[in-house]
Amino acid sequence: MTTTLDPPSDLLAGHPETAYFWGRVVGDGELTADCVTVRTNDETAAERLAAIAGAQAIDERIVERDYAHDTSITRAEEEFTVQVFGDLAERASAAFGLPIDGDPGGYRFDTFDDHRRQLLRGLLEGCGTVCFKSSSDAVGISFVHDDRRLLERIDALLSAIPVDAPTGEVSESSSGGYWFSVADAAASDLGPWLYEDSEESGLFAPSRRAKLLRSLDRIDA
């Protein structure tokens, strides 16, 4: 993929660009009958997602978000929304088993078997959390979402990658959704693998990558 991020000719075909795009949509987006929506708090990522999908506009606003594991804590941050109108949502729902208009999804990602890295990178940036644990000098990587089936599918994807990334059980979160974590010892291998060659492809959110790699640098130091 070039740095100009030309839109793929088919958003439902298996390409690195489409794998990343749909990972972001599934992680923090939604499908309705006539619209695909994806959200990000990284402006550069929003521009890249819009370029992949051929979207014409990006909506920017300030939103209050609950902290993933403690709903008593909120933070204000920029949110950028990319929307693609037309029949893409219904076609994606049929092709990938994505939930649409509140209907449950089956999450069939076989099309992206050759691009699991980009798909998981999009999922991590969409519904993943990264934190530095000063008490244990470790980096925590977890996934949080309202749909337990999605988290179980992400867990299965992690088990099929070439780096060892053991995970814990999917559990209920304080926000009413679900979450699971990757073993702390796996972060030093999983993080660099997820972002390998991302600079060349442009398929990443700079703020999210910087936070993860900066946290890994702290434990290396």
Side-chain angles (χ1 to χ4, degrees), residues 64-75 174-175:
E64 289 281 341
R65 286 187 180 271
D66 291 337
Y67 181 64
H69 297 296
D70 186 350
T71 55
S72 67
I73 301 174
T74 62
R75 63 188 186 277
S174 61
S175 61

Side-chain angles (χ1 to χ4, degrees), residues 124-187:
L124 175 69
E125 293 181 356
C127 63
T129 66
V130 174
C131 65
F132 178 74
K133 301 179 180 181
S134 57
S135 59
S136 55
D137 196 29
V139 175
I141 298 175
S142 59
F143 291 84
V144 183
H145 202 272
D146 291 339
D147 193 336
R148 184 186 187 105
R149 287 164 299 182
L150 171 61
L151 295 184
E152 292 170 346
R153 188 69 183 95
I154 295 174
D155 193 9
L157 288 169
L158 288 169
S159 70
I161 62 177
V163 299
D164 189 24
T167 60
E169 295 291 329
V170 177
S171 305
E172 292 187 15
S173 68
S174 61
S175 61
Y178 300 91
W179 74 287
F180 75 89
S181 62
V182 177
D184 290 351

